[in-house]
Amino acid sequence: MRRLPVIRLTYARLALLVFGIWTGVFLFGFALSAFAAEARSTGLGPVADAEELYRQARLRDAERGLSEYLLEKPGADQDPEKRAAYFVLVRYRALFAGLESATGAAGFYLAPREFQGLLTRSPDTAQLRLLYKFALRSTGDASPLPPQELGAEATLALARLRQDQGETEIALKLYRHGLELLRRSESAASKKQLALARAGMLDALVELGWYVEFVETMSSPGFSAIADEFHTYIYRLKTGRYLAMIPPLVRHESGKYETRWVLAGLSAGACWLVFLLHMGRARHWPGHVFVLAVFALALGALSAYGTIVALLITEEYLPFSKLEPTFTNELIHMVFGVGLREELLKLLLFIPLTPFLMRKNNATVLTVAALVGLGFAIEENILYYADYGGGVIIARFLTANFLHMSLTGFAGYYLVAALRRGGESWSDFAAQFGLVILLHGAYDFLLGGQVENGGFLAMLVHIWLSYQFLSLFARLDSGGARRLPMTYVFVGSMALLAGIGYLMLLPELGVAEAIRSSIVELLGVATITVVFFVSFREPIG
């Protein structure tokens, strides 16, 4: 094997490394911003593009895209897609009309007169104006049902609007009313709207938690045929068909993936992976250990889905999330619900690897166990990004990956030690695994807002855990001086990690806000860096 040249560790080299990485990040970010300005399409059509922009609260861009689409090809306004676009335009205009963000330069693209003028081009002008007028009323000042002259399509648009406003019971009544109107029509367009109305009803029933009625509705003619993966897995869960629930659940969760969020999760995971493999001296591993490492990542990712299944089933019998959010209840939920469930599932998925680790050195065991935690974190992060958007990137880039690596690393390491030695080692494993569960639950609990300065205390838990994990690695590392210092790899990985976070936030927040958010991330990086330096103590010239 070719030997690497020895890299002398100096502050100047570290500063140059960080400067080089961030120079590349800013140059790439500039190119990314220019590209994003030109390519905003989801590839699903102008209406889908606009809905995605509305979800990001980019009102001007969304309305501009819709208005340009509606103004092209005069005389084509009878096209079903264009007719639907008018209702989307009115629905979101009404949804954001009362918000402060909808005024001024950052607000709507169309002035009120231009908006009303655009509606005159539609064959549904009267319906659109009536919908807009009724939608602007407060739900407390208006009857849940619209005027009789409001048609089925406008009624369904109003139902979606009320659902977006959190008025789910009113939305359900509107969906039912719209469904009744549609049953009187047999046109092809009405069949499509019929499916949308039924899907809306099912969504509303789930949101309200009316599962008995949901199951009855799903059993009704016409509903099971239009049910998507989400409705299907909820139906099978509520009817006790747990194994049959898993395939549609996995398809539903994986169907949320977007390229940018997958890239965010994988790239952040890659930074931690490089650091972890170098710390475990993977360069000297035989080939079969690399195969174990790949399986460890895959099993960790699989355990993320296992926790979702376990969560859904246990909530049927032990509904922790429905307890009154008192101090005690939240603590019990986080420790015996979240902490126990996630750590147990990760450990169970690590167990198939233990026969192949019995004769490996302790540093390799700790590395492979930590890789299971990293695989879990990568998959969980992607699902979080898909559900909550870029707002959670900063926190999860730093804490989630390292937290799960550390916790599963500890649990797996002590499990293999117990399997090797037996006897009292099982007591050590039980104590350490109990501590892992407690630390996980305490960390989540402190972030939940039940404790004053909980965020600071959670960071102290994270710092202590990081120190214990890195110190254990340092004690187990018996390979002597490294040709490529750990500090060099760690600083480079952290700089790149922070840069990736900036790049992921850039399209959503713009340069100034992305930099501001990245500064928060850099403070977290600095904290972990201090812990690393204290743990490894590599000499720096």
PDB file of all heavy atoms in Angstrom, residues 303-321:
ATOM      1  N   SER A 303     -33.035   0.976  10.426  1.00  0.00           N
ATOM      2  CA  SER A 303     -33.575   1.133  11.775  1.00  0.00           C
ATOM      3  C   SER A 303     -34.396   2.412  11.915  1.00  0.00           C
ATOM      4  O   SER A 303     -35.279   2.497  12.774  1.00  0.00           O
ATOM      5  CB  SER A 303     -32.447   1.126  12.809  1.00  0.00           C
ATOM      6  OG  SER A 303     -31.647   2.287  12.732  1.00  0.00           O
ATOM      7  N   ALA A 304     -34.120   3.413  11.064  1.00  0.00           N
ATOM      8  CA  ALA A 304     -34.931   4.637  11.095  1.00  0.00           C
ATOM      9  C   ALA A 304     -36.375   4.325  10.715  1.00  0.00           C
ATOM     10  O   ALA A 304     -37.320   4.858  11.320  1.00  0.00           O
ATOM     11  CB  ALA A 304     -34.341   5.682  10.152  1.00  0.00           C
ATOM     12  N   TYR A 305     -36.559   3.459   9.724  1.00  0.00           N
ATOM     13  CA  TYR A 305     -37.915   3.044   9.362  1.00  0.00           C
ATOM     14  C   TYR A 305     -38.508   2.150  10.445  1.00  0.00           C
ATOM     15  O   TYR A 305     -39.709   2.195  10.713  1.00  0.00           O
ATOM     16  CB  TYR A 305     -37.899   2.320   8.014  1.00  0.00           C
ATOM     17  CG  TYR A 305     -37.861   3.270   6.841  1.00  0.00           C
ATOM     18  CD1 TYR A 305     -36.658   3.567   6.211  1.00  0.00           C
ATOM     19  CD2 TYR A 305     -39.017   3.885   6.384  1.00  0.00           C
ATOM     20  CE1 TYR A 305     -36.615   4.452   5.142  1.00  0.00           C
ATOM     21  CE2 TYR A 305     -38.981   4.769   5.311  1.00  0.00           C
ATOM     22  CZ  TYR A 305     -37.775   5.043   4.702  1.00  0.00           C
ATOM     23  OH  TYR A 305     -37.743   5.929   3.651  1.00  0.00           O
ATOM     24  N   GLY A 306     -37.647   1.341  11.063  1.00  0.00           N
ATOM     25  CA  GLY A 306     -38.131   0.495  12.149  1.00  0.00           C
ATOM     26  C   GLY A 306     -38.694   1.304  13.300  1.00  0.00           C
ATOM     27  O   GLY A 306     -39.704   0.922  13.906  1.00  0.00           O
ATOM     28  N   THR A 307     -38.068   2.453  13.603  1.00  0.00           N
ATOM     29  CA  THR A 307     -38.576   3.294  14.692  1.00  0.00           C
ATOM     30  C   THR A 307     -39.923   3.912  14.334  1.00  0.00           C
ATOM     31  O   THR A 307     -40.761   4.116  15.220  1.00  0.00           O
ATOM     32  CB  THR A 307     -37.578   4.408  15.047  1.00  0.00           C
ATOM     33  OG1 THR A 307     -37.328   5.224  13.913  1.00  0.00           O
ATOM     34  CG2 THR A 307     -36.275   3.827  15.550  1.00  0.00           C
ATOM     35  N   ILE A 308     -40.131   4.216  13.055  1.00  0.00           N
ATOM     36  CA  ILE A 308     -41.433   4.760  12.641  1.00  0.00           C
ATOM     37  C   ILE A 308     -42.521   3.709  12.848  1.00  0.00           C
ATOM     38  O   ILE A 308     -43.600   3.992  13.387  1.00  0.00           O
ATOM     39  CB  ILE A 308     -41.398   5.223  11.173  1.00  0.00           C
ATOM     40  CG1 ILE A 308     -40.391   6.358  10.991  1.00  0.00           C
ATOM     41  CG2 ILE A 308     -42.791   5.682  10.724  1.00  0.00           C
ATOM     42  CD1 ILE A 308     -40.187   6.778   9.543  1.00  0.00           C
ATOM     43  N   VAL A 309     -42.225   2.473  12.433  1.00  0.00           N
ATOM     44  CA  VAL A 309     -43.193   1.380  12.615  1.00  0.00           C
ATOM     45  C   VAL A 309     -43.464   1.164  14.099  1.00  0.00           C
ATOM     46  O   VAL A 309     -44.622   1.041  14.538  1.00  0.00           O
ATOM     47  CB  VAL A 309     -42.665   0.084  11.963  1.00  0.00           C
ATOM     48  CG1 VAL A 309     -43.598  -1.089  12.283  1.00  0.00           C
ATOM     49  CG2 VAL A 309     -42.549   0.259  10.450  1.00  0.00           C
ATOM     50  N   ALA A 310     -42.388   1.133  14.897  1.00  0.00           N
ATOM     51  CA  ALA A 310     -42.556   0.921  16.338  1.00  0.00           C
ATOM     52  C   ALA A 310     -43.343   2.059  16.963  1.00  0.00           C
ATOM     53  O   ALA A 310     -44.182   1.828  17.852  1.00  0.00           O
ATOM     54  CB  ALA A 310     -41.172   0.807  16.997  1.00  0.00           C
ATOM     55  N   LEU A 311     -43.081   3.283  16.534  1.00  0.00           N
ATOM     56  CA  LEU A 311     -43.815   4.444  17.057  1.00  0.00           C
ATOM     57  C   LEU A 311     -45.309   4.308  16.791  1.00  0.00           C
ATOM     58  O   LEU A 311     -46.139   4.485  17.696  1.00  0.00           O
ATOM     59  CB  LEU A 311     -43.290   5.720  16.409  1.00  0.00           C
ATOM     60  CG  LEU A 311     -44.136   6.987  16.590  1.00  0.00           C
ATOM     61  CD1 LEU A 311     -44.189   7.384  18.057  1.00  0.00           C
ATOM     62  CD2 LEU A 311     -43.586   8.126  15.750  1.00  0.00           C
ATOM     63  N   LEU A 312     -45.668   3.983  15.559  1.00  0.00           N
ATOM     64  CA  LEU A 312     -47.081   3.894  15.194  1.00  0.00           C
ATOM     65  C   LEU A 312     -47.795   2.806  15.987  1.00  0.00           C
ATOM     66  O   LEU A 312     -48.925   3.005  16.461  1.00  0.00           O
ATOM     67  CB  LEU A 312     -47.203   3.629  13.690  1.00  0.00           C
ATOM     68  CG  LEU A 312     -46.776   4.776  12.772  1.00  0.00           C
ATOM     69  CD1 LEU A 312     -46.705   4.306  11.327  1.00  0.00           C
ATOM     70  CD2 LEU A 312     -47.734   5.953  12.888  1.00  0.00           C
ATOM     71  N   ILE A 313     -47.139   1.665  16.139  1.00  0.00           N
ATOM     72  CA  ILE A 313     -47.789   0.549  16.829  1.00  0.00           C
ATOM     73  C   ILE A 313     -47.882   0.818  18.333  1.00  0.00           C
ATOM     74  O   ILE A 313     -48.940   0.599  18.947  1.00  0.00           O
ATOM     75  CB  ILE A 313     -47.039  -0.770  16.550  1.00  0.00           C
ATOM     76  CG1 ILE A 313     -47.142  -1.121  15.054  1.00  0.00           C
ATOM     77  CG2 ILE A 313     -47.624  -1.909  17.387  1.00  0.00           C
ATOM     78  CD1 ILE A 313     -46.327  -2.326  14.639  1.00  0.00           C
ATOM     79  N   THR A 314     -46.798   1.295  18.941  1.00  0.00           N
ATOM     80  CA  THR A 314     -46.834   1.536  20.392  1.00  0.00           C
ATOM     81  C   THR A 314     -47.811   2.648  20.744  1.00  0.00           C
ATOM     82  O   THR A 314     -48.437   2.607  21.813  1.00  0.00           O
ATOM     83  CB  THR A 314     -45.437   1.895  20.928  1.00  0.00           C
ATOM     84  OG1 THR A 314     -44.893   2.995  20.178  1.00  0.00           O
ATOM     85  CG2 THR A 314     -44.497   0.705  20.826  1.00  0.00           C
ATOM     86  N   GLU A 315     -47.979   3.635  19.856  1.00  0.00           N
ATOM     87  CA  GLU A 315     -48.930   4.715  20.119  1.00  0.00           C
ATOM     88  C   GLU A 315     -50.365   4.205  20.146  1.00  0.00           C
ATOM     89  O   GLU A 315     -51.243   4.839  20.729  1.00  0.00           O
ATOM     90  CB  GLU A 315     -48.791   5.821  19.073  1.00  0.00           C
ATOM     91  CG  GLU A 315     -47.638   6.771  19.319  1.00  0.00           C
ATOM     92  CD  GLU A 315     -47.869   7.696  20.508  1.00  0.00           C
ATOM     93  OE1 GLU A 315     -48.995   8.217  20.642  1.00  0.00           O
ATOM     94  OE2 GLU A 315     -46.945   7.866  21.313  1.00  0.00           O
ATOM     95  N   GLU A 316     -50.617   3.061  19.506  1.00  0.00           N
ATOM     96  CA  GLU A 316     -51.944   2.461  19.541  1.00  0.00           C
ATOM     97  C   GLU A 316     -52.284   1.937  20.945  1.00  0.00           C
ATOM     98  O   GLU A 316     -53.449   1.895  21.329  1.00  0.00           O
ATOM     99  CB  GLU A 316     -52.033   1.303  18.535  1.00  0.00           C
ATOM    100  CG  GLU A 316     -51.985   1.736  17.075  1.00  0.00           C
ATOM    101  CD  GLU A 316     -53.202   2.555  16.681  1.00  0.00           C
ATOM    102  OE1 GLU A 316     -54.307   1.995  16.633  1.00  0.00           O
ATOM    103  OE2 GLU A 316     -53.037   3.768  16.440  1.00  0.00           O
ATOM    104  N   TYR A 317     -51.249   1.552  21.696  1.00  0.00           N
ATOM    105  CA  TYR A 317     -51.470   0.944  23.005  1.00  0.00           C
ATOM    106  C   TYR A 317     -50.957   1.820  24.154  1.00  0.00           C
ATOM    107  O   TYR A 317     -51.510   1.786  25.261  1.00  0.00           O
ATOM    108  CB  TYR A 317     -50.785  -0.426  23.060  1.00  0.00           C
ATOM    109  CG  TYR A 317     -51.282  -1.361  21.984  1.00  0.00           C
ATOM    110  CD1 TYR A 317     -50.573  -1.528  20.791  1.00  0.00           C
ATOM    111  CD2 TYR A 317     -52.473  -2.063  22.134  1.00  0.00           C
ATOM    112  CE1 TYR A 317     -51.030  -2.375  19.783  1.00  0.00           C
ATOM    113  CE2 TYR A 317     -52.945  -2.917  21.139  1.00  0.00           C
ATOM    114  CZ  TYR A 317     -52.216  -3.058  19.962  1.00  0.00           C
ATOM    115  OH  TYR A 317     -52.678  -3.876  18.972  1.00  0.00           O
ATOM    116  N   LEU A 318     -49.869   2.557  23.899  1.00  0.00           N
ATOM    117  CA  LEU A 318     -49.305   3.473  24.899  1.00  0.00           C
ATOM    118  C   LEU A 318     -49.153   4.854  24.260  1.00  0.00           C
ATOM    119  O   LEU A 318     -48.069   5.226  23.823  1.00  0.00           O
ATOM    120  CB  LEU A 318     -47.928   2.971  25.385  1.00  0.00           C
ATOM    121  CG  LEU A 318     -47.903   1.626  26.103  1.00  0.00           C
ATOM    122  CD1 LEU A 318     -46.458   1.163  26.286  1.00  0.00           C
ATOM    123  CD2 LEU A 318     -48.599   1.736  27.456  1.00  0.00           C
ATOM    124  N   PRO A 319     -50.236   5.594  24.202  1.00  0.00           N
ATOM    125  CA  PRO A 319     -50.220   6.876  23.478  1.00  0.00           C
ATOM    126  C   PRO A 319     -49.493   7.985  24.252  1.00  0.00           C
ATOM    127  O   PRO A 319     -50.114   8.895  24.787  1.00  0.00           O
ATOM    128  CB  PRO A 319     -51.703   7.185  23.293  1.00  0.00           C
ATOM    129  CG  PRO A 319     -52.387   6.510  24.442  1.00  0.00           C
ATOM    130  CD  PRO A 319     -51.578   5.281  24.739  1.00  0.00           C
ATOM    131  N   PHE A 320     -48.154   7.901  24.310  1.00  0.00           N
ATOM    132  CA  PHE A 320     -47.365   8.899  25.032  1.00  0.00           C
ATOM    133  C   PHE A 320     -47.632  10.303  24.514  1.00  0.00           C
ATOM    134  O   PHE A 320     -47.717  11.264  25.286  1.00  0.00           O
ATOM    135  CB  PHE A 320     -45.866   8.588  24.897  1.00  0.00           C
ATOM    136  CG  PHE A 320     -45.401   7.429  25.731  1.00  0.00           C
ATOM    137  CD1 PHE A 320     -44.892   6.283  25.133  1.00  0.00           C
ATOM    138  CD2 PHE A 320     -45.457   7.475  27.118  1.00  0.00           C
ATOM    139  CE1 PHE A 320     -44.441   5.218  25.893  1.00  0.00           C
ATOM    140  CE2 PHE A 320     -45.023   6.409  27.891  1.00  0.00           C
ATOM    141  CZ  PHE A 320     -44.511   5.280  27.277  1.00  0.00           C
ATOM    142  N   SER A 321     -47.746  10.427  23.199  1.00  0.00           N
ATOM    143  CA  SER A 321     -47.879  11.761  22.596  1.00  0.00           C
ATOM    144  C   SER A 321     -49.207  12.432  22.939  1.00  0.00           C
ATOM    145  O   SER A 321     -49.351  13.642  22.758  1.00  0.00           O
ATOM    146  CB  SER A 321     -47.730  11.668  21.067  1.00  0.00           C
ATOM    147  OG  SER A 321     -48.765  10.867  20.522  1.00  0.00           O
TER     148      SER A 321
END
